[in-house]
Amino acid sequence: QVQLVESGGGLVQPGGSLRLSCEASRSVFSFNSIGWYRQAPGEQRELVAAITTGGATTYADSVKGRFTISRSVAKNTVYLQMNSLKPEDTAVYYCNAKSGRNQYWGQGAQVTVSS
């Protein structure tokens, strides 16, 4: 059973930064892709950023230039560095990993951007 454990959420002022971490129970290279989705109240879950086994990255247009996804193979961990945060970035952020036809989710981390 794959486990994804997120950490690093919290409350930050507009313009601030946060880093989310997602530790997987097996190598990040064992997944076709691993990344982050978010869901705001009353909204659909949306892709924020993802990285493939080969290192290719994808970002939502709304976060390009502000968020960066990276990984540590040694720590089985994927990171999401979030800079220049805006109130509209407020959401629950979920780690997601895809392997073949299987998909795995973390428990979610709340990110609130407010003054």
Side-chain angles (χ1 to χ4, degrees):
Q1 181 72 12
V2 174
Q3 291 187 326
L4 303 172
V5 179
E6 298 125 336
S7 60
L11 172 65
V12 64
Q13 292 187 340
S17 298
L18 281 176
R19 189 177 78 159
L20 300 179
S21 300
C22 171
E23 183 175 0
S25 57
R26 70 188 201 201
S27 172
V28 294
F29 281 158
S30 69
F31 304 108
N32 300 116
S33 69
I34 187 167
W36 298 88
Y37 284 69
R38 68 185 180 187
Q39 188 168 21
E43 301 290 333
Q44 290 189 337
R45 194 171 294 190
E46 62 174 358
L47 174 68
V48 177
I51 185 167
T52 68
T53 304
T57 57
T58 299
Y59 294 94
D61 288 343
S62 59
V63 307
K64 284 180 181 176
R66 300 188 297 123
F67 291 11
T68 303
I69 189 169
S70 63
R71 63 190 174 189
S72 168
V73 175
K75 296 182 179 181
N76 292 344
T77 299
V78 173
Y79 304 98
L80 184 68
Q81 178 66 44
M82 306 184 290
N83 299 329
S84 302
L85 282 160
K86 305 174 181 180
E88 50 263 44
D89 294 318
T90 296
V92 178
Y93 284 69
Y94 296 92
C95 186
N96 170 271
K98 296 180 174 64
S99 178
R101 291 180 295 178
N102 297 317
Q103 183 166 224
Y104 309 96
W105 294 94
Q107 79 282 3
Q110 177 69 47
V111 171
T112 302
V113 184
S114 175
S115 55

